[in-house]
Amino acid sequence: MKLLLTGSSGWLGRFLAPKLAAIGHEVVGLDVAVGDHTDEIGSVADRKLIDKLFSDHAIEAVIHAGALHKPDIVRYPNSAFVDVNVTGTLNLLEAAVQAGHDRFIFTSTTSLMISETVRAGRDGGAEQAFWLDEEFGPLKPRNIYGVTKISAEHLCRLYHKLHGINVAVLRTGRFFPEDDDTLATPSGPNLKANEFLNRRLTVEDAADAHIAALDGISDLGFETFILSAPTPFAREDCRQLILDAPSVITRYFPEAAALYEQKGWVLPDHIDRIYDAGKAERLLGFRAKTDFTSILYALAEDRALPFQHDPSYISPKEMP
């Protein structure tokens, strides 16, 4: 299949593009920055460019992973977020419908689910962890990034309703470099490891989820999926997780505290949100390969940690 992959130079794109090519897809990469898997430099907000790419390459499906992200808030005006995240998505949807595509994959974010109330967690008076699945709401994004991503989701839903195109909206948990990767205590790897309990997946798993959605959405219509490593917790754990997370973690993983102590790491004292990725497993057959158990195995066997950690990462579009 001839695929247009937006965001092909970004953190996800550099892992997703070669995986797609390895299984036989012809990938046309579009990004505003140069990259190993980028064929065209330009913005999704440029409708003429989108039309040209569709015409020149006979595009058969779109994986729309390009966006301005939360860290970009300090670097770009709100209007840029609207241009890229909203207008860019509209351009791609219109082009896909005009080309007669039967599927469209949109990379969204769990960030749009995190209102100020959810973010405040225990400090805001929450008495139990928030269990976040696709039915959670009402959604009240707290910044321009979240607002524009949920607006793009609504466009995807509308174009499915109006034109019948099958759409998979993939709300990804954390899989990319973060500002807190550079912290000393707890360290970036320690924080990442902790987040595999409730809100993180590897970039490799995120890429595999996009492939599963590309293969699986054609008979499903419009569906939204949360992507995260499978959590070991149950809804019944939510109250204790926000009061005393180590006691719950130890119940599921008796060996965790000792392994963490050997590494000089700390378990989270509380967990205020749980991402439930069960729907992706039920409908797409996708389950992240790396979970908290994988991390404990690596610690026990003194192996490399099973996730990417690059505190020096700079987005290609910000490089001089």
Side-chain angles (χ1 to χ4, degrees), residues 18 59 161 186 227 256 299 314:
I59 299 299
K161 179 180 178 180
L227 300 182
L299 293 178
I314 300 174

Side-chain angles (χ1 to χ4, degrees), residues 118-166:
V118 174
R119 190 183 189 193
R122 188 171 70 175
D123 293 338
E127 297 182 352
Q128 62 181 24
F130 290 91
W131 190 272
L132 303 181
D133 61 13
E134 291 79 6
E135 303 305 315
F136 178 80
L139 301 181
K140 298 179 180 179
R142 67 186 189 279
N143 53 40
I144 189 64
Y145 172 54
V147 167
T148 53
K149 293 299 279 188
I150 198 171
S151 297
E153 286 191 7
H154 288 320
L155 285 172
C156 289
R157 182 179 292 104
L158 176 65
Y159 270 66
H160 163 69
K161 179 180 178 180
L162 294 178
H163 304 287
I165 187 170
N166 300 290

Side-chain angles (χ1 to χ4, degrees), residues 52-307:
K52 185 175 186 301
L53 286 173
F54 270 65
S55 175
D56 290 351
H57 297 280
I59 299 299
E60 296 173 281
V62 174
I63 299 179
H64 181 26
L68 286 181
H69 297 281
K70 185 172 65 175
D72 294 316
I73 291 174
V74 299
R75 296 188 287 262
Y76 294 88
N78 289 346
S79 58
F81 280 82
V82 174
D83 292 342
V84 174
N85 294 356
V86 182
T87 303
T89 303
L90 178 61
N91 287 341
L92 291 164
L93 284 165
E94 288 185 337
V97 166
Q98 289 176 9
H101 290 184
D102 68 343
R103 72 197 75 183
F104 188 94
I105 312 303
F106 176 61
T107 310
S108 191
T109 173
T110 52
S111 180
L112 63 81
M113 304 173 71
I114 311 305
S115 64
E116 293 295 348
T117 300
V118 174
R119 190 183 189 193
R122 188 171 70 175
D123 293 338
E127 297 182 352
Q128 62 181 24
F130 290 91
W131 190 272
L132 303 181
D133 61 13
E134 291 79 6
E135 303 305 315
F136 178 80
L139 301 181
K140 298 179 180 179
R142 67 186 189 279
N143 53 40
I144 189 64
Y145 172 54
V147 167
T148 53
K149 293 299 279 188
I150 198 171
S151 297
E153 286 191 7
H154 288 320
L155 285 172
C156 289
R157 182 179 292 104
L158 176 65
Y159 270 66
H160 163 69
K161 179 180 178 180
L162 294 178
H163 304 287
I165 187 170
N166 300 290
V167 181
V169 171
L170 305 181
R171 289 182 184 166
T172 62
R174 284 186 163 199
F175 66 84
F176 39 81
E178 297 275 356
D179 291 342
D180 53 21
D181 288 348
T182 61
L183 295 178
T185 307
S187 68
N190 186 172
L191 287 172
K192 278 188 171 72
N194 290 349
E195 289 177 345
F196 278 90
L197 288 163
N198 66 311
R199 59 182 297 201
R200 180 173 283 277
L201 72 165
T202 66
V203 64
E204 294 89 349
D205 278 332
D208 287 343
H210 282 70
I211 294 171
L214 182 69
D215 292 340
I217 194 59
S218 58
D219 295 324
L220 295 179
F222 176 91
E223 294 289 352
T224 301
F225 301 97
I226 290 174
L227 300 182
S228 185
T231 181
F233 305 128
R235 289 178 183 266
E236 294 75 22
D237 297 319
C238 285
R239 180 170 178 80
Q240 192 63 21
L241 281 169
I242 209 163
L243 297 173
D244 181 13
S247 69
V248 184
I249 296 167
T250 300
R251 174 155 47 87
Y252 284 94
F253 305 100
E255 73 281 24
L259 290 171
Y260 263 48
E261 185 176 2
Q262 292 172 12
K263 188 76 172 176
W265 285 3
V266 294
L267 291 169
D269 63 356
H270 73 282
I271 290 176
D272 59 12
R273 70 193 77 160
I274 307 294
Y275 295 163
D276 181 354
K279 182 180 176 181
E281 185 169 359
R282 292 190 301 273
L283 296 189
L284 298 178
F286 170 76
R287 180 181 175 92
K289 295 175 182 176
T290 300
D291 57 12
F292 191 66
T293 299
S294 308
I295 293 163
L296 295 183
Y297 279 149
L299 293 178
E301 298 171 6
D302 197 25
R303 290 186 286 105
L305 294 168
F307 54 80

